[in-house]
Amino acid sequence: IMLAIHWLCMLITSFDKKNIWQNSKAFGMIFYIMPLTSLFVSAIMYSIILDAEFNFISLSFVFLGALFTFIGNYLPKCKQNRTIGIKLKWTLASEENWNMTHRFGGKVWVTGGIIITILTFLPLEISFILFIPTVILLVLIPAIYSARYFKAQVMDGRASSSDLKNIFGKNDKITAVFASISVTVILVLCAVLCFTGNIEYKYTDSSFTVKADYYNDLTINYNDITEIEHRENDDRGVRVFGFGSPRLLMGTFENQEFGRYTRYSYAGCSSCVVITVNENKLVLSGIDRNATSDIYNILIEKCN
């Protein structure tokens, strides 16, 4: 997926005639961002598989902070174009607005990158709460600055409202249609992932298997289970790796009681079954309280 996105970015960038004179360092962002992200994500995935003991969430904040700082450092070097940088109607209509917005936006993104890196040292719950608003502000602040700067340009006679007309050519309209179709497809897929999917439990004489949509199945031998507990409420903590949606919560989680643990549950069910397997914690649930109680009763019976 990342390779496909990388190719798409390279293709769209190469079609922009204004990039003939583009700064080479600005092109470097397009060349290296996705490959570096791919290497980072792959390293995280293999580390989890190999049970590496370090805080993946904190490392992610460090990587994202460095990424925002890197991009912010090179934003002022971007020359006006339609594919790289802060592409707003005001920046595309005025080269002066483009330059000033990118100088200001670069400072904002570098500052934002530092703030995101600082989130590493805060509790996970607080870090997650602050991260999304920070990213939103990094997008909104340069956009607001650009709009206000263009308004000042119009008042000073350095720009005209008519400059905003016809700034998009035929190729831009084709790109907009393509982007609209792509976004629609992505939104439909996201909706399917968010509101569908099930977790099923298959029991045999020696083991049981958790069969989950959108995530790996898991098989546990009864002989490896040392403790089974039914809880009406539980502390889910933070998902470190796996699949999460308004319907399903699956993968590697972390909370204060268990540390890192594995979870297969429905987001709408507050009750759960906590199983200790070879000193590792596994949390399961059904779609509701009754289904969760059935899981507990069946496992108690099978283990006895």
Side-chain angles (χ1 to χ4, degrees):
I1 291 174
M2 291 187 180
L3 179 61
I5 295 174
H6 180 64
W7 283 345
L8 180 62
C9 292
M10 296 295 296
L11 187 63
I12 293 175
T13 303
S14 65
F15 282 161
D16 190 348
K17 295 180 179 179
K18 287 193 173 184
N19 280 326
I20 295 175
W21 309 108
Q22 187 58 260
N23 187 289
S24 60
K25 293 182 178 180
F27 267 123
M29 291 193 299
I30 302 299
F31 290 147
Y32 293 110
I33 285 178
M34 288 309 299
L36 288 174
T37 303
S38 179
L39 288 173
F40 176 77
V41 172
S42 297
I44 292 292
M45 289 166 50
Y46 281 111
S47 298
I48 290 174
I49 292 171
L50 297 173
D51 292 327
E53 292 293 336
F54 60 88
N55 194 320
F56 302 106
I57 301 297
S58 297
L59 185 62
S60 297
F61 282 132
V62 172
F63 175 78
L64 290 172
L67 185 62
F68 277 104
T69 303
F70 171 77
I71 295 174
N73 184 56
Y74 285 107
L75 275 180
K77 299 177 176 64
C78 292
K79 296 182 179 180
Q80 189 182 40
N81 70 99
R82 299 176 187 273
T83 51
I84 304 175
I86 304 172
K87 301 173 292 297
L88 303 169
K89 61 181 180 179
W90 308 290
T91 58
L92 294 176
S94 166
E95 187 173 355
E96 178 187 344
N97 190 295
W98 173 282
N99 293 333
M100 295 303 296
T101 298
H102 280 70
R103 289 174 187 172
F104 176 77
K107 296 177 182 177
V108 171
W109 277 50
V110 169
T111 304
I114 296 172
I115 292 173
I116 291 174
T117 303
I118 293 174
L119 295 181
T120 303
F121 305 100
L122 300 178
L124 290 178
E125 293 80 4
I126 298 177
S127 297
F128 273 101
I129 292 173
L130 295 178
F131 174 71
I132 295 178
T134 300
V135 174
I136 293 175
L137 287 174
L138 292 182
V139 175
L140 288 180
I141 291 175
I144 294 172
Y145 174 88
S146 180
R148 291 177 63 86
Y149 192 87
F150 189 82
K151 184 178 180 180
Q153 285 182 290
V154 173
M155 294 180 63
D156 294 343
R158 291 176 290 129
S160 171
S161 298
S162 60
D163 295 338
L164 298 177
K165 298 179 181 179
N166 301 320
I167 60 175
F168 297 106
K170 181 179 179 180
N171 291 335
D172 298 312
K173 294 178 180 178
I174 295 174
T175 302
V177 171
F178 175 77
S180 298
I181 294 173
S182 301
V183 169
T184 301
V185 171
I186 291 172
L187 289 176
V188 170
L189 291 175
C190 288
V192 170
L193 290 174
C194 283
F195 302 106
T196 63
N198 292 295
I199 302 173
E200 297 181 357
Y201 299 90
K202 302 293 184 181
Y203 305 94
T204 67
D205 293 335
S206 60
S207 65
F208 75 97
T209 299
V210 186
K211 301 182 72 64
D213 294 334
Y214 314 131
Y215 198 64
N216 298 329
D217 296 343
L218 178 67
T219 299
I220 300 294
N221 293 320
Y222 299 131
N223 292 334
D224 295 331
I225 298 176
T226 57
E227 185 180 357
I228 304 176
E229 179 185 358
H230 182 268
R231 296 187 180 185
E232 289 299 323
N233 295 285
D234 75 305
D235 175 18
R236 295 169 179 174
V238 177
R239 178 166 54 90
V240 177
F241 184 82
F243 178 86
S245 74
R247 181 175 174 82
L248 300 175
L249 297 172
M250 303 178 294
T252 302
F253 282 67
E254 187 174 312
N255 65 15
Q256 292 183 349
E257 181 181 3
F258 302 145
R260 194 183 305 172
Y261 72 97
T262 303
R263 186 180 193 93
Y264 286 80
S265 68
Y266 286 88
C269 181
S270 59
S271 63
C272 67
V273 177
V274 180
I275 303 173
T276 304
V277 184
N278 296 327
E279 299 184 356
N280 297 314
K281 295 294 184 180
L282 171 63
V283 176
L284 307 173
S285 87
I287 194 168
D288 53 29
R289 291 178 180 271
N290 292 332
T292 303
S293 296
D294 290 340
I295 295 170
Y296 173 75
N297 294 329
I298 293 173
L299 289 177
I300 287 292
E301 180 183 348
K302 292 289 187 180
C303 291
N304 291 335

